Amino acid sequence: MQGTTRRRAASLAAAALALWLTISPALAEPAVPADEETRSVLEKSLSVVEIDKEIARIQTEQTAVKAKLSASQAALDKQEADIDGKREEAGKVLRAYYTGERNSLLTALLSSRSLSGMLAILDFFDLIFASDRDTLNDYQAHYQALKKAVASLNAQSAQLTEVETRLKTQRARVVALQSDVDSALNGREDADKLRSLIDDYTAYWQNVGLVEVNRYFNALSKAMGQIPSWVEKDEGMLDIDGFNYTLTIPDGKLNAFLRGQNPLFDNFAFAFKEDKVIITGKKDDLEVELSGHYTLEPAGSILFHVDELIFNGLALPDTTRKQLERQFDLGFYPSEIVSFLKAKSVSVKEGALVIKLSISL
Protein backbone atom coordinates (compact mmCIF):
# COMPACT_ATOMS: atom_id res chain seq x y z
CA MET A 1 0.00 0.00 0.00
CA GLN A 2 2.84 2.39 0.87
CA GLY A 3 4.58 1.54 -2.42
CA THR A 4 1.36 2.35 -4.31
CA THR A 5 0.99 5.63 -2.44
CA ARG A 6 4.59 6.60 -3.20
CA ARG A 7 4.12 5.77 -6.88
CA ARG A 8 0.94 7.87 -7.06
CA ALA A 9 2.70 10.75 -5.34
CA ALA A 10 5.60 10.46 -7.76
CA SER A 11 3.21 10.42 -10.70
CA LEU A 12 1.45 13.55 -9.48
CA ALA A 13 4.77 15.30 -8.89
CA ALA A 14 6.00 14.35 -12.35
CA ALA A 15 2.74 15.50 -13.93
CA ALA A 16 2.91 18.83 -12.09
CA LEU A 17 6.48 19.44 -13.22
CA ALA A 18 5.63 18.40 -16.76
CA LEU A 19 2.75 20.91 -16.77
CA TRP A 20 5.05 23.59 -15.40
CA LEU A 21 7.48 22.90 -18.20
CA THR A 22 4.80 23.34 -20.84
CA ILE A 23 3.95 26.83 -19.63
CA SER A 24 7.50 27.92 -18.77
CA PRO A 25 10.34 28.71 -21.13
CA ALA A 26 11.88 25.45 -22.33
CA LEU A 27 15.19 24.55 -20.76
CA ALA A 28 17.65 23.73 -23.49
CA GLU A 29 20.05 20.90 -22.86
CA PRO A 30 23.49 22.32 -22.07
CA ALA A 31 26.26 20.87 -24.18
CA VAL A 32 28.45 18.40 -22.30
CA PRO A 33 32.13 19.10 -23.00
CA ALA A 34 34.16 16.26 -24.41
CA ASP A 35 37.20 16.66 -22.13
CA GLU A 36 37.27 14.21 -19.23
CA GLU A 37 38.17 16.75 -16.53
CA THR A 38 35.15 18.94 -17.21
CA ARG A 39 32.85 15.93 -17.43
CA SER A 40 34.20 14.77 -14.07
CA VAL A 41 33.44 18.18 -12.51
CA LEU A 42 29.88 18.06 -13.88
CA GLU A 43 29.36 14.52 -12.53
CA LYS A 44 30.60 15.51 -9.10
CA SER A 45 28.44 18.62 -9.08
CA LEU A 46 25.35 16.55 -9.94
CA SER A 47 26.33 14.07 -7.24
CA VAL A 48 26.50 16.88 -4.66
CA VAL A 49 22.95 17.90 -5.57
CA GLU A 50 21.63 14.32 -5.45
CA ILE A 51 23.41 13.39 -2.22
CA ASP A 52 22.06 16.57 -0.64
CA LYS A 53 18.59 15.15 -1.32
CA GLU A 54 19.57 11.91 0.39
CA ILE A 55 20.83 13.89 3.37
CA ALA A 56 17.47 15.67 3.61
CA ARG A 57 15.67 12.32 3.41
CA ILE A 58 17.86 10.80 6.12
CA GLN A 59 17.36 13.87 8.33
CA THR A 60 13.59 13.41 8.03
CA GLU A 61 14.00 9.74 8.93
CA GLN A 62 16.25 10.70 11.84
CA THR A 63 13.63 13.11 13.20
CA ALA A 64 10.92 10.45 12.97
CA VAL A 65 13.08 7.82 14.72
CA LYS A 66 14.02 10.29 17.48
CA ALA A 67 10.35 11.12 18.08
CA LYS A 68 9.45 7.44 18.19
CA LEU A 69 12.36 6.71 20.51
CA SER A 70 11.31 9.51 22.86
CA ALA A 71 7.72 8.22 22.99
CA SER A 72 8.96 4.67 23.58
CA GLN A 73 11.22 5.85 26.42
CA ALA A 74 8.30 7.64 28.06
CA ALA A 75 6.13 4.51 27.74
CA LEU A 76 8.96 2.39 29.17
CA ASP A 77 9.34 4.71 32.17
CA LYS A 78 5.61 4.37 32.85
CA GLN A 79 5.74 0.59 32.52
CA GLU A 80 8.67 0.45 34.93
CA ALA A 81 6.71 2.50 37.45
CA ASP A 82 3.63 0.28 36.99
CA ILE A 83 5.58 -2.93 37.41
CA ASP A 84 7.10 -1.80 40.73
CA GLY A 85 3.64 -2.00 42.30
CA LYS A 86 2.88 -5.32 40.59
CA ARG A 87 6.23 -6.71 41.77
CA GLU A 88 5.42 -5.81 45.39
CA GLU A 89 1.99 -7.45 45.16
CA ALA A 90 3.46 -10.61 43.63
CA GLY A 91 6.16 -10.67 46.31
CA LYS A 92 3.56 -10.61 49.06
CA VAL A 93 1.76 -13.59 47.50
CA LEU A 94 4.96 -15.61 47.12
CA ARG A 95 6.09 -14.75 50.65
CA ALA A 96 2.75 -15.93 51.98
CA TYR A 97 3.29 -19.35 50.40
CA TYR A 98 6.97 -19.49 51.34
CA THR A 99 6.44 -18.60 55.04
CA GLY A 100 3.46 -20.90 55.40
CA GLU A 101 0.84 -18.21 55.92
CA ARG A 102 -1.50 -20.11 53.61
CA ASN A 103 -1.10 -23.25 55.77
CA SER A 104 -3.50 -21.78 58.34
CA LEU A 105 -6.24 -22.11 55.72
CA LEU A 106 -5.50 -25.81 55.34
CA THR A 107 -5.60 -26.20 59.14
CA ALA A 108 -8.97 -24.46 59.26
CA LEU A 109 -10.28 -26.77 56.54
CA LEU A 110 -9.15 -29.93 58.35
CA SER A 111 -10.59 -28.75 61.65
CA SER A 112 -14.01 -27.98 60.19
CA ARG A 113 -16.73 -29.87 62.07
CA SER A 114 -19.52 -29.55 59.48
CA LEU A 115 -20.09 -29.89 55.76
CA SER A 116 -21.43 -26.35 55.49
CA GLY A 117 -18.35 -25.03 57.30
CA MET A 118 -16.06 -26.98 54.99
CA LEU A 119 -17.84 -25.64 51.91
CA ALA A 120 -17.58 -22.08 53.23
CA ILE A 121 -13.83 -22.51 53.75
CA LEU A 122 -13.45 -24.04 50.25
CA ASP A 123 -15.22 -21.02 48.77
CA PHE A 124 -12.83 -18.80 50.69
CA PHE A 125 -9.91 -20.92 49.36
CA ASP A 126 -11.12 -20.42 45.82
CA LEU A 127 -11.45 -16.68 46.29
CA ILE A 128 -7.98 -16.28 47.77
CA PHE A 129 -6.22 -18.59 45.32
CA ALA A 130 -7.99 -16.95 42.37
CA SER A 131 -6.84 -13.57 43.66
CA ASP A 132 -3.30 -14.89 44.11
CA ARG A 133 -3.35 -16.35 40.60
CA ASP A 134 -4.61 -13.05 39.12
CA THR A 135 -1.89 -11.12 40.97
CA LEU A 136 0.89 -13.39 39.70
CA ASN A 137 -0.53 -13.47 36.14
CA ASP A 138 -0.85 -9.69 36.16
CA TYR A 139 2.77 -9.34 37.21
CA GLN A 140 3.86 -11.82 34.54
CA ALA A 141 1.95 -9.90 31.83
CA HIS A 142 3.49 -6.58 32.93
CA TYR A 143 6.94 -8.18 33.04
CA GLN A 144 6.61 -9.56 29.49
CA ALA A 145 5.31 -6.18 28.25
CA LEU A 146 8.29 -4.49 29.88
CA LYS A 147 10.73 -6.92 28.23
CA LYS A 148 9.09 -6.26 24.86
CA ALA A 149 9.28 -2.49 25.39
CA VAL A 150 12.98 -2.72 26.32
CA ALA A 151 13.71 -4.81 23.20
CA SER A 152 11.80 -2.30 21.03
CA LEU A 153 13.68 0.59 22.60
CA ASN A 154 17.02 -1.13 21.97
CA ALA A 155 16.06 -1.78 18.33
CA GLN A 156 15.04 1.85 17.84
CA SER A 157 18.28 3.04 19.46
CA ALA A 158 20.25 0.82 17.07
CA GLN A 159 18.20 2.17 14.15
CA LEU A 160 18.94 5.74 15.22
CA THR A 161 22.66 4.95 15.46
CA GLU A 162 22.57 3.42 11.96
CA VAL A 163 20.67 6.45 10.57
CA GLU A 164 23.14 8.88 12.14
CA THR A 165 26.06 6.88 10.73
CA ARG A 166 24.53 7.07 7.24
CA LEU A 167 23.98 10.80 7.70
CA LYS A 168 27.63 11.38 8.66
CA THR A 169 28.79 9.26 5.71
CA GLN A 170 26.71 11.21 3.18
CA ARG A 171 27.76 14.56 4.64
CA ALA A 172 31.40 13.52 4.37
CA ARG A 173 30.82 12.52 0.73
CA VAL A 174 29.29 15.90 -0.08
CA VAL A 175 32.16 17.78 1.57
CA ALA A 176 34.73 15.70 -0.34
CA LEU A 177 32.95 16.10 -3.68
CA GLN A 178 32.43 19.83 -3.22
CA SER A 179 36.09 20.17 -2.31
CA ASP A 180 37.04 18.35 -5.53
CA VAL A 181 34.79 20.65 -7.57
CA ASP A 182 36.20 23.79 -5.91
CA SER A 183 39.78 22.58 -6.47
CA ALA A 184 39.05 21.88 -10.13
CA LEU A 185 37.58 25.35 -10.60
CA ASN A 186 40.34 27.25 -8.79
CA GLY A 187 42.91 28.67 -11.16
CA ARG A 188 40.98 27.87 -14.35
CA GLU A 189 40.64 30.74 -16.76
CA ASP A 190 37.18 29.52 -17.72
CA ALA A 191 36.04 28.96 -14.08
CA ASP A 192 33.07 31.33 -14.42
CA LYS A 193 31.98 29.67 -17.63
CA LEU A 194 32.25 26.24 -16.03
CA ARG A 195 30.27 27.39 -12.96
CA SER A 196 27.56 28.61 -15.32
CA LEU A 197 27.59 25.25 -17.10
CA ILE A 198 27.29 23.47 -13.75
CA ASP A 199 24.28 25.61 -12.84
CA ASP A 200 22.66 25.05 -16.24
CA TYR A 201 23.20 21.29 -16.15
CA THR A 202 21.93 21.00 -12.59
CA ALA A 203 18.78 22.92 -13.52
CA TYR A 204 18.31 20.77 -16.62
CA TRP A 205 18.61 17.57 -14.59
CA GLN A 206 16.28 18.79 -11.83
CA ASN A 207 13.58 20.21 -14.10
CA VAL A 208 13.76 17.98 -17.17
CA GLY A 209 15.97 14.93 -16.67
CA LEU A 210 14.58 13.81 -13.33
CA VAL A 211 11.00 14.30 -14.54
CA GLU A 212 11.65 12.12 -17.58
CA VAL A 213 13.51 9.44 -15.60
CA ASN A 214 10.64 9.24 -13.12
CA ARG A 215 8.16 9.11 -16.00
CA TYR A 216 9.98 6.17 -17.58
CA PHE A 217 10.29 4.31 -14.29
CA ASN A 218 6.67 4.94 -13.35
CA ALA A 219 5.45 3.61 -16.70
CA LEU A 220 7.83 0.67 -16.49
CA SER A 221 6.64 -0.22 -12.99
CA LYS A 222 3.03 -0.26 -14.18
CA ALA A 223 3.92 -2.40 -17.20
CA MET A 224 5.77 -4.90 -15.00
CA GLY A 225 2.54 -5.46 -13.14
CA GLN A 226 1.00 -6.81 -16.37
CA ILE A 227 3.76 -9.35 -17.02
CA PRO A 228 2.07 -12.30 -15.22
CA SER A 229 -1.03 -12.13 -17.43
CA TRP A 230 1.16 -11.66 -20.53
CA VAL A 231 3.24 -14.75 -19.70
CA GLU A 232 0.08 -16.80 -19.11
CA LYS A 233 -1.13 -15.97 -22.62
CA ASP A 234 2.21 -16.76 -24.27
CA GLU A 235 2.74 -20.42 -23.35
CA GLY A 236 5.86 -20.61 -25.50
CA MET A 237 7.91 -18.88 -22.82
CA LEU A 238 7.09 -21.47 -20.13
CA ASP A 239 8.73 -24.89 -20.48
CA ILE A 240 7.45 -27.73 -18.27
CA ASP A 241 9.58 -30.78 -17.43
CA GLY A 242 7.81 -32.90 -14.82
CA PHE A 243 7.66 -30.77 -11.68
CA ASN A 244 10.24 -28.30 -12.98
CA TYR A 245 9.31 -25.16 -14.89
CA THR A 246 11.55 -22.78 -16.80
CA LEU A 247 10.36 -19.33 -17.79
CA THR A 248 12.45 -17.80 -20.59
CA ILE A 249 11.75 -14.17 -21.52
CA PRO A 250 13.64 -12.97 -24.64
CA ASP A 251 14.48 -9.27 -24.59
CA GLY A 252 12.89 -8.83 -28.04
CA LYS A 253 9.55 -10.17 -26.80
CA LEU A 254 9.76 -8.06 -23.65
CA ASN A 255 10.39 -4.90 -25.67
CA ALA A 256 7.46 -5.68 -27.98
CA PHE A 257 5.23 -6.24 -24.95
CA LEU A 258 6.31 -2.95 -23.34
CA ARG A 259 5.69 -0.97 -26.53
CA GLY A 260 2.22 -2.46 -26.66
CA GLN A 261 1.62 -1.19 -23.13
CA ASN A 262 2.76 2.39 -23.60
CA PRO A 263 4.02 4.39 -26.62
CA LEU A 264 6.57 5.94 -24.28
CA PHE A 265 8.58 2.74 -24.77
CA ASP A 266 8.89 3.23 -28.54
CA ASN A 267 12.30 4.79 -27.89
CA PHE A 268 13.10 2.52 -24.97
CA ALA A 269 14.72 -0.92 -24.86
CA PHE A 270 15.74 -3.75 -22.57
CA ALA A 271 18.86 -5.71 -23.50
CA PHE A 272 19.75 -8.90 -21.64
CA LYS A 273 23.49 -9.48 -21.56
CA GLU A 274 25.46 -12.11 -19.64
CA ASP A 275 24.66 -11.43 -15.95
CA LYS A 276 23.56 -7.90 -16.75
CA VAL A 277 20.42 -6.00 -17.75
CA ILE A 278 20.86 -2.82 -19.78
CA ILE A 279 17.95 -0.41 -20.21
CA THR A 280 18.23 2.56 -22.57
CA GLY A 281 15.83 5.36 -23.34
CA LYS A 282 16.03 8.42 -25.60
CA LYS A 283 13.73 11.36 -26.11
CA ASP A 284 14.79 14.39 -28.13
CA ASP A 285 18.15 15.47 -26.68
CA LEU A 286 17.75 13.47 -23.50
CA GLU A 287 19.35 10.04 -23.09
CA VAL A 288 19.18 7.72 -20.11
CA GLU A 289 21.01 4.44 -19.72
CA LEU A 290 21.02 2.17 -16.73
CA SER A 291 22.41 -1.24 -16.00
CA GLY A 292 21.38 -3.58 -13.25
CA HIS A 293 20.80 -7.13 -12.09
CA TYR A 294 18.10 -9.33 -10.57
CA THR A 295 18.19 -11.08 -7.21
CA LEU A 296 16.03 -13.89 -5.91
CA GLU A 297 14.48 -13.08 -2.54
CA PRO A 298 13.63 -15.72 0.11
CA ALA A 299 9.89 -15.29 -0.48
CA GLY A 300 10.38 -16.15 -4.17
CA SER A 301 10.08 -12.65 -5.63
CA ILE A 302 12.66 -11.41 -8.12
CA LEU A 303 13.84 -7.85 -7.50
CA PHE A 304 15.68 -5.51 -9.85
CA HIS A 305 18.68 -3.50 -8.61
CA VAL A 306 20.13 -0.48 -10.42
CA ASP A 307 23.93 -0.72 -10.60
CA GLU A 308 24.58 2.30 -12.82
CA LEU A 309 22.51 5.25 -14.02
CA ILE A 310 23.82 7.54 -16.75
CA PHE A 311 22.05 10.73 -17.77
CA ASN A 312 23.27 12.30 -21.02
CA GLY A 313 26.65 10.70 -20.54
CA LEU A 314 27.04 11.64 -16.87
CA ALA A 315 26.91 9.00 -14.13
CA LEU A 316 24.57 9.72 -11.22
CA PRO A 317 25.40 8.62 -7.65
CA ASP A 318 24.22 5.53 -5.82
CA THR A 319 21.77 7.61 -3.76
CA THR A 320 19.77 8.41 -6.90
CA ARG A 321 19.77 4.75 -7.95
CA LYS A 322 18.59 3.60 -4.51
CA GLN A 323 15.84 6.21 -4.51
CA LEU A 324 14.54 4.90 -7.83
CA GLU A 325 14.55 1.36 -6.41
CA ARG A 326 12.60 2.52 -3.36
CA GLN A 327 10.14 4.52 -5.42
CA PHE A 328 9.44 2.12 -8.28
CA ASP A 329 9.03 -1.65 -8.32
CA LEU A 330 10.58 -3.31 -11.39
CA GLY A 331 10.48 -6.83 -10.00
CA PHE A 332 8.90 -10.11 -11.15
CA TYR A 333 6.53 -12.14 -9.00
CA PRO A 334 6.28 -15.73 -10.37
CA SER A 335 3.51 -16.72 -7.93
CA GLU A 336 1.26 -14.23 -9.74
CA ILE A 337 1.73 -16.27 -12.92
CA VAL A 338 0.82 -19.61 -11.32
CA SER A 339 -0.02 -19.49 -7.61
CA PHE A 340 1.64 -22.81 -6.74
CA LEU A 341 4.96 -21.95 -8.40
CA LYS A 342 7.96 -20.46 -6.64
CA ALA A 343 11.16 -19.18 -8.23
CA LYS A 344 14.27 -21.14 -7.28
CA SER A 345 16.81 -19.32 -9.46
CA VAL A 346 17.13 -16.36 -11.82
CA SER A 347 19.84 -15.70 -14.40
CA VAL A 348 20.45 -13.31 -17.25
CA LYS A 349 21.81 -14.86 -20.43
CA GLU A 350 22.65 -13.28 -23.76
CA GLY A 351 19.27 -12.14 -25.07
CA ALA A 352 17.04 -13.65 -22.39
CA LEU A 353 16.00 -13.67 -18.75
CA VAL A 354 15.76 -17.24 -17.42
CA ILE A 355 13.77 -18.07 -14.30
CA LYS A 356 13.73 -21.61 -12.87
CA LEU A 357 10.53 -22.45 -11.02
CA SER A 358 9.35 -25.28 -8.82
CA ILE A 359 6.08 -26.27 -7.15
CA SER A 360 5.64 -24.52 -3.83
CA LEU A 361 4.46 -27.00 -1.19
Side-chain angles (χ1 to χ4, degrees):
M1 182 64 72
Q2 289 182 338
T4 301
T5 302
R6 286 197 298 268
R7 286 194 288 272
R8 287 176 178 169
S11 299
L12 289 172
L17 276 170
L19 178 61
W20 177 83
L21 286 171
T22 61
I23 59 177
S24 302
L27 286 172
E29 180 209 357
V32 180
D35 68 284
E36 190 58 37
E37 183 181 355
T38 302
R39 291 173 65 85
S40 176
V41 171
L42 286 175
E43 277 189 356
K44 289 175 180 177
S45 298
L46 274 182
S47 292
V48 167
V49 172
E50 288 298 291
I51 296 172
D52 272 338
K53 291 182 192 175
E54 178 67 3
I55 288 173
R57 190 190 69 80
I58 295 175
Q59 285 174 328
T60 300
E61 182 182 350
Q62 180 188 44
T63 300
V65 173
K66 280 183 176 179
K68 189 176 179 182
L69 188 60
S70 177
S72 296
Q73 183 64 63
L76 180 61
D77 292 342
K78 183 178 184 304
Q79 284 180 304
E80 287 179 336
D82 290 343
I83 205 171
D84 283 341
K86 301 298 179 183
R87 185 183 294 112
E88 180 61 29
E89 292 173 9
K92 288 178 180 178
V93 170
L94 294 174
R95 281 194 299 273
Y97 285 101
Y98 182 75
T99 59
E101 291 178 15
R102 293 293 188 256
N103 290 342
S104 59
L105 297 173
L106 181 59
T107 302
L109 177 65
L110 295 175
S111 62
S112 176
R113 297 178 181 275
S114 66
L115 180 61
S116 60
M118 183 181 292
L119 292 175
I121 293 173
L122 286 173
D123 286 341
F124 190 47
F125 266 27
D126 187 57
L127 180 64
I128 290 176
F129 292 152
S131 177
D132 289 347
R133 189 166 54 250
D134 289 345
T135 299
L136 294 174
N137 287 342
D138 199 20
Y139 171 73
Q140 177 69 9
H142 276 74
Y143 177 71
Q144 292 300 329
L146 184 65
K147 281 182 64 178
K148 187 176 180 180
V150 169
S152 175
L153 195 69
N154 289 337
Q156 289 169 23
S157 296
Q159 183 185 5
L160 182 59
T161 299
E162 188 269 335
V163 168
E164 289 176 339
T165 299
R166 282 192 284 124
L167 188 58
K168 289 177 182 177
T169 300
Q170 299 300 351
R171 281 175 172 162
R173 288 181 69 189
V174 165
V175 169
L177 285 167
Q178 189 60 60
S179 176
D180 286 348
V181 171
D182 292 341
S183 296
L185 289 172
N186 287 338
R188 285 186 60 142
E189 293 182 358
D190 61 346
D192 290 340
K193 182 179 178 181
L194 185 51
R195 286 191 182 94
S196 179
L197 180 61
I198 289 172
D199 291 341
D200 290 345
Y201 216 92
T202 299
Y204 185 71
W205 162 248
Q206 296 278 55
N207 296 315
V208 179
L210 186 57
V211 173
E212 289 300 315
V213 168
N214 281 343
R215 197 155 72 97
Y216 272 111
F217 269 76
N218 186 47
L220 188 56
S221 179
K222 289 180 180 178
M224 288 297 177
Q226 302 302 316
I227 281 185
S229 58
W230 169 57
V231 171
E232 281 186 274
K233 294 174 184 175
D234 192 333
E235 296 179 355
M237 289 189 290
L238 188 62
D239 180 62
I240 303 174
D241 180 14
F243 293 110
N244 297 311
Y245 298 74
T246 302
L247 176 62
T248 303
I249 303 178
D251 50 18
K253 275 194 173 185
L254 180 59
N255 288 323
F257 162 74
L258 291 173
R259 287 161 191 162
Q261 294 291 307
N262 192 325
L264 181 67
F265 298 125
D266 287 347
N267 298 311
F268 180 97
F270 266 83
F272 293 132
K273 303 296 182 182
E274 196 69 28
D275 297 325
K276 183 186 290 189
V277 182
I278 298 175
I279 305 174
T280 54
K282 178 176 173 62
K283 180 185 176 185
D284 300 326
D285 295 325
L286 188 148
E287 292 186 38
V288 174
E289 178 179 328
L290 65 89
S291 61
H293 68 281
Y294 289 103
T295 59
L296 178 63
E297 301 303 302
S301 56
I302 297 169
L303 302 185
F304 182 71
H305 304 278
V306 182
D307 298 324
E308 187 178 36
L309 175 62
I310 298 174
F311 165 68
N312 280 15
L314 300 180
L316 289 160
D318 58 307
T319 55
T320 308
R321 303 196 303 266
K322 294 299 181 186
Q323 177 59 30
L324 289 172
E325 287 183 23
R326 284 192 295 266
Q327 196 172 347
F328 304 104
D329 183 5
L330 304 186
F332 290 93
Y333 299 90
S335 62
E336 294 180 3
I337 300 171
V338 180
S339 60
F340 57 80
L341 292 181
K342 181 179 179 179
K344 62 180 183 180
S345 72
V346 58
S347 59
V348 181
K349 306 296 183 183
E350 190 69 31
L353 174 66
V354 181
I355 302 171
K356 300 286 186 180
L357 305 151
S358 61
I359 294 176
S360 178
L361 300 177

